[in-house]
Structure formats: C-alpha cells, structure tokens
Amino acid sequence: MRILVVAATEAEVAPVLSTIGAPESGRLRSGRHAGHQVDVLMTGVGMVATAAWCAHTLARSRYELALNLGVCGSFDPALGPATVVHVVSDRIADLGVEDGEQFLTIQELNLIGDNDFPFQDGRLVNRNPPANAALGVLPGVDGITVNTAHGHAESIAAVVRRFNPRIESMEGAGFMYTCLIHQLAFAQVRAVSNFVERRNRGAWKLAEAIHALNEAALRIVSGDQA
C-alpha cells in the first residue's frame, strides 16, 4: 500500500520520519514501514498551505490512504494532554461574517448549502474511514479548524456554544476538504497538546503529545485491515 502522511511541521512527525528511514530534508520524504511505501508531506502551518500542498501532491501521485497527523487543542476536560483522537468531522469555524455581536457562517449566508459537496450538515465528514484496528480504538471527535487559535474566554465560550467542538486545529479541514474532493480514503489523527484557554505554553504537553501521536500513527500504518 502507498500511504501519504500529511503534517504541518517536521517536529510533529519526527519519530515517523526516523522509523521509516526517510531522508533528512525535503518537503516530501519517502520511506517504508510494515511493507508499505510511506510518503511524508510537510505542508507548513494553516489550512490554506495544507490544502494547497495536499492538492499538489495528490495531482501528481496516487495513494490508497492519507493520514493527517498533528497536535491539537482540547475543549473537553475528558480529552487531556497526550490523548490521541480520530477527528471524524471538522468545520472551518471562522469562515463567515460578523454582524454586530453575531457570527454568520457561509451556510447561514446562503453562499453554499449545508449539504453541497463536500459538506454534510455544514461539516466535512469522514463517512468511510479506513477499516483499521489501530484507528478504530481511538475516540472519534468533532473538531473545528481555525486561522486564529482561540485564547480568549469570550471567544472560546462563543465557539463552543456555536459548534460544540471537542478539539481545534489549524489544518484539519484543509486536509479533509482535499481528500474528499480526491475521493481518497483518509483519517485525521491528532494528539492533544493543551486545553483551549488563554495562551499558556507552560501548561502544554507538546513532547508527550508528539510521542503519543507517532506511536499511534505507526500502529495505524502497520495495523490489520478489517
């Protein structure tokens, strides 16, 4: 099987790169693990960069599976640091307009329908995740993707009321949007590095999150296909 692993930064997938024997430089690096060819794409931070580089890569090569690996912030006290999750639905949370104190999504503005492809009820949904034992044991969560990570009590409360997400990232929706368009089997897998709160790097567990993420990723790559 040929697998595409997508990450925003090299740091988030350094253990995977080492395990598969990938070269030490390049945006797209290749290696092998458990009998599979694994290509690792570093897109840079943000959903625009993620979508653009994913589309560029998928237009040039054919894959059987794509995995988005990264860290995330958690809105849910039950999802503490180093918890690895499978993001089964995602939403571009800040795509819309402000109308005074109110925020209107592009669907509420009737610029696109709730179920216009690739959306389902206004979200990007992974309807057919890979049948993979290691992936199947991860908690499935709803996420949001943002250009500006939340760090203010009022904006955090507002986005929770609006969408009730469990995690947020800056890349997930860009990855899912691209995979849905390319009709490619995919999974967005993330590890919690911090709770979503006023920015407090001292409370982050980034190293622990990256370790847990990469352990889970390697199990998925080598896991049994149901």
Side-chain angles (χ1 to χ4, degrees), residues 5-198:
V5 170
V6 177
T9 65
E10 180 176 345
E12 290 169 293
V13 288
V16 166
L17 289 167
S18 176
T19 299
I20 69 172
E24 294 184 358
S25 63
R27 183 178 295 276
L28 183 67
R29 308 181 200 178
S30 299
R32 296 194 66 82
H33 183 68
H36 305 301
Q37 177 177 332
V38 182
D39 293 349
V40 181
L41 172 67
M42 271 75 70
T43 63
V45 175
M47 70 183 95
V48 173
T50 298
W53 280 108
C54 283
H56 175 80
T57 302
L58 293 177
R60 291 168 172 252
S61 300
R62 189 174 187 86
Y63 295 90
E64 286 73 49
L65 172 65
L67 297 173
N68 182 203
L69 305 181
V71 297
C72 64
S74 170
F75 294 96
D76 186 345
L79 300 177
T83 302
V84 182
V85 299
H86 175 204
V87 184
V88 295
S89 79
D90 211 323
R91 185 189 296 265
I92 307 173
D94 49 12
L95 183 57
V97 302
E98 291 181 341
D99 184 10
E101 297 297 318
Q102 187 178 13
F103 176 83
L104 301 174
T105 68
I106 57 169
Q107 286 86 8
E108 290 167 332
L109 292 166
N110 295 317
L111 295 177
I112 188 170
D114 278 345
N115 294 299
D116 286 354
F117 182 79
F119 294 97
Q120 179 178 325
D121 296 325
R123 299 173 297 143
L124 299 164
V125 180
N126 192 350
R127 300 181 188 88
N128 299 297
N132 179 285
L135 180 66
V137 300
L138 300 179
V141 303
D142 298 324
I144 57 171
T145 301
V146 295
N147 286 299
T148 302
H150 287 87
H152 187 278
E154 291 183 4
S155 66
I156 294 169
V159 80
V160 168
R161 286 194 304 270
R162 189 176 301 128
F163 300 129
N164 194 30
R166 297 184 72 191
I167 65 96
E168 78 170 5
S169 76
M170 300 180 75
E171 292 85 26
F175 167 81
M176 290 181 67
Y177 199 115
T178 309
C179 289
L180 287 166
I181 286 176
H182 282 263
Q183 299 182 324
L184 173 64
F186 69 91
Q188 182 190 164
V189 178
R190 297 194 171 272
V192 174
S193 60
N194 58 283
F195 289 110
V196 180
E197 58 186 356
R198 184 165 182 173

